[in-house]
Amino acid sequence: MADNFGLRIGVEGEKEFKKALAEINQSFKVLGSEMNLVASQFDRQDKSVEAITARNRVLNKEIDTQKQKIGTLEQALANATASFGENDRRTQQWQIQLNNARAALNDMEKELDENNRALEEAGDHLDEAGDQADDFGDSLEESADKADDAGNRFEKLGGIAKTIGAVVAAAVVAIGAAAISAGVGLVKLGDEYNQAVNQISASTGATGAELEALGETARRVYTNNFGDSLEDVAEGISAVQKTTGLMDEELQKATESGFALRDTFGYDLQESARTANALMKNFGLSAEEAYNIIAVGAQNGADQNGDLLDTLNEYSAQYAALGLSADEFVSGLISGSEAGVFSIDKVGDAVKEFNLRVIDGSNTTTEAFQALGMDADAMAARFAAGGDSAREAFFEVVNALDSMDDPIAKNTAAVNLFGTQFEDLQSNVLPVLASMEDGAGKTYDALSQINQIKYNDLDSAIEGTKRSIQGVFLPLASEMSAGITDVFSTLSNEINAANGDFEQIGVAIGNAIEGVSNVILEKMPMFLELGLNIVTSIGGAILDNLPVLIESATNIVLTLLNALVSALPQLSEGAL
C-alpha cells in the first residue's frame, strides 16, 4: 500500500498518505475486534499457554500492521519535508505521528517478548516438574524403608490412639459448627440478593419476567467482582437501566463499565450512563464501545477540567451531524487538551456553532465561504446531506481556513463560521479540528486495560473468587431465604392473631420451626450437589496444574516426610 505513491508530492501526496493511513487504521479496528474475541475466551488473569498463544497470534498481526504504518509515515514525512520544508507545521505533524507509531511498536514488541518468555518458562516448569516427580517417587521409596525399620515401635502406641480419638471427636464438633455458620451465611447471602432485587423493582418499576432478568444481570455483575456489594450493584443497575433502557448482556456490560469508570476516575454511574447513552444514540455504538470512548478520553487528559462527560453528552449530536465518528470526536478533545485549550467544552461549542451556521444561508456565512473560494450554496448542500459528504466538506473548510495567510481575513472568516468561540480559542482550534481527520481508529480497548490493571491485586483476586463461589449458590440461597422469610411472616401474623394466648403462640412457634426445617431439608440436597461439583472442579484444576503444584510442593513434602520418618523412633519412645 505504502509503495504505490509514485512521485506525487505536495498537497496531493498528503491526501494519498492520509488515505493509506485510514486504511491501515481500519485494519487495526479489525485486529482490535480479534483481540477482544480472544479476551472473551479467557479470564482476565489467564496466563495459560493456550491463552498466551492466542494473544500472540493477534499481536504478531498487529506488529506487522504497525510496521506497515511506520513505513507509510516515513514516506509521508519525506514527502512533506521535500514539499514544505522541515519547519512547516504539516511536516512536524507527520514527525509526531511517526514518533508515536514507533513508540507503539516498541510497546507491542515488549509485550510479545514478555509473552514469549512466559511460554518458555512454562515449558521449563513442566520439564522440572517431571524431574521432581521422579525424585519424589525415589524419596517415597526411601521413606518406606525407614518406616519398616521403625515398625516394631508402633506396638506400644495404643495410648496415643486414644488421645487422637478425642481430638478427632472435637474436630467433628468443629466441622458441625462450621457447617451451621456456612448455612447461616448462605441464608444471609440469599436475603441480601432478595433485598437487591426488591431495590431494583422499586427503582425501575420492573416486575415479572423483566425483574427476573434484571436480577440475573445483577447476579452476573456481582460475581464478576464489580460493585462494592449486592446493594451497590442493584443501585448501579437501576441507574444504568433507567438511563439507557438496556437489558441483559448489554446492560451487564454497561453496568460493569460504569463501575470500572467510577472506581478509576470517580465518575457517577448515572452521569457516565447518560453520556454513553448519547454516544450510542448519535453514533450507533454498542454500550461497550460508548463507555470505551469515555475511558480513552479520561486516560488521555481530556477531562482535566472535569467537563469530559458533559462535553461528550452535549455535543455528540453535532459531531454526528457533520459525519464525524465518535473516535474523531474524542481524539479532537484529546488534541484540544494537549494544545492547551483551557476548556474542551469550548471546542465542542465551536463545532456546534459551525454546524448551525454552514447551512443557515446568512450573509456572513456566504462571505466566509467566498473568502475561502467556495460556493456557499454548494457547501450548504454538502453539509445538509450529512455523512461522508458533510465530513469531507468539514475538513476542506478547516484546512482551507488554517492555510489562509492573511491573519485578519482568516479571523473574519473563522468568526463568521465558528462564532465567538473562535475568538475564545483563537487559531489553536484549527489544527485541533484538522487533527480529527487522523483520529479515526485511534481509540483502543481502554476498559480492558483498566480492568486488567485496576483489579490485578491479591485482595481483588480473593474477593473475585469468593463472589464466583457465592454466585453458584446464589439462586438456591435466594429461594431458601425467601422460603424462611415466608415462614417468619406467617409466624408474625399468627402471634398477632393469638392475642396473648400462649398456647396458640407455642403452636405457631412450633409450626415455624418445622417450616424452617422443611425449607432447609428441601434445598439441602441441591446445596450438597453444588458443593460436590465445586470440589470436583477444584480437583480437576489441581490435575490440570499438577506440574506447577508438584514444583511448588515437592521440596516441602520431602522435607516434612523425611523429618517425620527420622523422628519415628523418638516419637514412639516418648509415647511409652
Side-chain angles (χ1 to χ4, degrees):
M1 183 186 303
D3 297 327
N4 297 326
F5 297 115
L7 297 176
R8 297 176 181 177
I9 60 173
V11 175
E12 184 180 358
E14 290 270 301
K15 291 181 179 179
E16 293 293 330
F17 287 119
K18 288 180 179 180
K19 180 179 178 182
L21 288 173
E23 293 175 359
I24 293 173
N25 288 333
Q26 182 62 33
S27 299
F28 272 115
K29 280 190 174 182
V30 176
L31 292 173
S33 68
E34 290 184 22
M35 188 63 82
N36 288 339
L37 177 60
V38 171
S40 70
Q41 294 171 339
F42 302 95
D43 292 334
R44 291 179 298 196
Q45 306 304 323
D46 195 338
K47 303 297 182 183
S48 66
V49 172
E50 182 182 4
I52 295 175
T53 302
R55 295 189 190 102
N56 274 4
R57 279 196 296 268
V58 182
L59 188 56
N60 277 310
K61 294 180 185 178
E62 291 180 334
I63 289 174
D64 291 340
T65 305
Q66 188 67 13
K67 289 179 178 178
Q68 181 184 4
K69 183 175 182 178
I70 289 173
T72 302
L73 288 170
E74 288 173 342
Q75 294 186 50
L77 176 61
N79 172 75
T81 302
S83 302
F84 312 118
E86 292 183 356
N87 297 323
D88 187 82
R89 180 186 59 79
R90 288 163 288 190
T91 303
Q92 293 172 347
Q93 286 294 327
W94 286 118
Q95 183 66 66
I96 292 171
Q97 289 190 57
L98 178 59
N99 292 341
N100 290 337
R102 286 171 174 167
L105 177 62
N106 290 338
D107 292 338
M108 293 178 185
E109 291 178 336
K110 287 178 184 177
E111 182 180 353
L112 183 64
D113 290 341
E114 291 175 359
N115 289 348
N116 288 334
R117 282 196 297 271
L119 290 174
E120 291 175 2
E121 290 174 1
D124 293 341
H125 289 331
L126 288 173
D127 293 339
E128 293 173 5
D131 295 338
Q132 291 178 344
D134 292 338
D135 294 340
F136 188 37
D138 295 339
S139 298
L140 287 176
E141 292 181 4
E142 182 181 349
S143 298
D145 294 338
K146 291 182 180 179
D148 289 340
D149 294 338
N152 59 342
R153 303 282 186 174
F154 284 98
E155 295 178 0
K156 299 178 181 179
L157 296 180
I160 294 178
K162 293 180 181 179
T163 303
I164 292 174
V167 173
V168 170
V172 170
V173 173
I175 291 171
I180 293 172
S181 176
V184 172
L186 286 171
V187 173
K188 182 180 179 182
L189 174 66
D191 189 51
E192 289 175 355
Y193 175 70
N194 291 340
Q195 289 180 25
V197 174
N198 292 340
Q199 170 62 30
I200 292 173
S201 178
S203 180
T204 65
T207 58
E210 183 183 11
L211 180 60
E212 185 178 348
L214 291 172
E216 175 58 21
T217 300
R219 186 189 69 83
R220 291 197 301 267
V221 171
Y222 177 77
T223 55
N224 283 348
N225 205 19
F226 289 95
D228 297 333
S229 62
L230 278 167
E231 180 183 7
D232 190 32
V233 169
E235 292 176 353
I237 282 179
S238 298
V240 174
Q241 201 281 328
K242 286 189 295 183
T243 303
T244 64
L246 297 173
M247 288 292 291
D248 301 323
E249 185 177 355
E250 281 290 283
L251 176 59
Q252 178 186 342
K253 291 179 179 179
T255 305
E256 291 177 351
S257 299
F259 277 122
L261 293 180
R262 185 192 71 177
D263 294 346
T264 307
F265 305 109
Y267 293 156
D268 177 76
L269 260 75
Q270 187 164 358
E271 290 301 307
S272 62
R274 182 172 60 91
T275 300
N277 192 49
L279 292 170
M280 286 187 284
K281 288 184 176 179
N282 289 301
F283 294 105
L285 304 181
S286 67
E288 196 169 20
E289 290 169 337
Y291 277 93
N292 196 64
I293 289 291
I294 299 172
V296 169
Q299 278 191 335
N300 290 276
D303 196 31
Q304 56 188 356
N305 290 322
D307 52 0
L308 174 62
L309 294 183
D310 287 337
T311 301
L312 289 172
N313 177 60
E314 183 175 355
Y315 301 113
S316 61
Q318 305 299 330
Y319 279 75
L322 289 169
L324 299 171
S325 68
D327 287 3
E328 290 169 328
F329 186 5
V330 74
S331 72
L333 300 181
I334 293 169
S335 296
S337 65
E338 291 174 347
V341 174
F342 67 90
S343 173
I344 59 170
D345 177 78
K346 291 290 184 180
V347 177
D349 205 16
V351 172
K352 174 186 176 181
E353 192 67 24
F354 179 89
N355 187 41
L356 296 174
R357 293 189 177 212
V358 291
I359 58 175
D360 66 4
S362 65
N363 291 333
T364 54
T365 299
T366 300
E367 291 170 1
F369 281 129
Q370 288 175 347
L372 297 173
M374 299 176 180
D375 182 88
D377 292 336
M379 295 302 292
R382 292 174 65 185
F383 281 114
D388 291 339
S389 172
R391 180 182 181 277
E392 291 174 3
F394 173 78
F395 286 115
E396 285 179 18
V397 172
V398 170
N399 288 321
L401 278 170
D402 197 28
S403 300
M404 292 182 71
D405 295 326
D406 186 338
I408 296 176
K410 175 191 285 190
N411 185 75
T412 300
V415 170
N416 285 341
L417 291 175
F418 289 98
T420 57
Q421 286 75 9
F422 182 81
E423 294 178 338
D424 294 335
L425 297 168
Q426 293 300 318
S427 58
N428 283 344
V429 73
L430 295 175
V432 167
L433 297 177
S435 71
M436 291 194 298
E437 191 171 8
D438 301 320
K442 283 191 174 181
T443 56
Y444 51 92
D445 195 358
L447 282 172
S448 291
Q449 289 185 6
I450 289 172
N451 289 333
Q452 289 172 2
I453 297 172
K454 179 70 177 176
Y455 306 111
N456 186 23
D457 58 81
L458 182 59
D459 287 344
S460 295
I462 292 173
E463 178 66 18
T465 302
K466 183 187 79 172
R467 290 193 182 189
S468 295
I469 295 174
Q470 287 178 334
V472 175
F473 289 101
L474 200 50
L476 276 177
S478 172
E479 293 177 11
M480 178 183 287
S481 176
I484 294 175
T485 299
D486 290 342
V487 170
F488 279 104
S489 295
T490 301
L491 174 60
S492 177
N493 292 334
E494 290 181 351
I495 290 176
N496 290 333
N499 197 25
D501 187 329
F502 288 104
E503 184 176 350
Q504 290 186 34
I505 292 174
V507 172
I509 292 174
N511 290 336
I513 293 173
E514 181 181 359
V516 171
S517 300
N518 289 337
V519 170
I520 294 174
L521 290 174
E522 178 186 356
K523 302 299 181 185
M524 190 56 64
M526 288 174 277
F527 276 115
L528 293 176
E529 182 180 355
L530 284 174
L532 180 60
N533 289 337
I534 290 175
V535 172
T536 303
S537 298
I538 293 173
I542 291 174
L543 291 176
D544 291 341
N545 294 280
L546 190 57
V548 177
L549 292 174
I550 291 175
E551 176 190 5
S552 303
T554 295
N555 291 332
I556 297 174
V557 173
L558 290 177
T559 301
L560 293 175
L561 186 59
N562 288 328
L564 177 62
V565 172
S566 299
L568 282 176
Q570 290 85 351
L571 288 173
S572 58
E573 287 176 356
L576 295 179

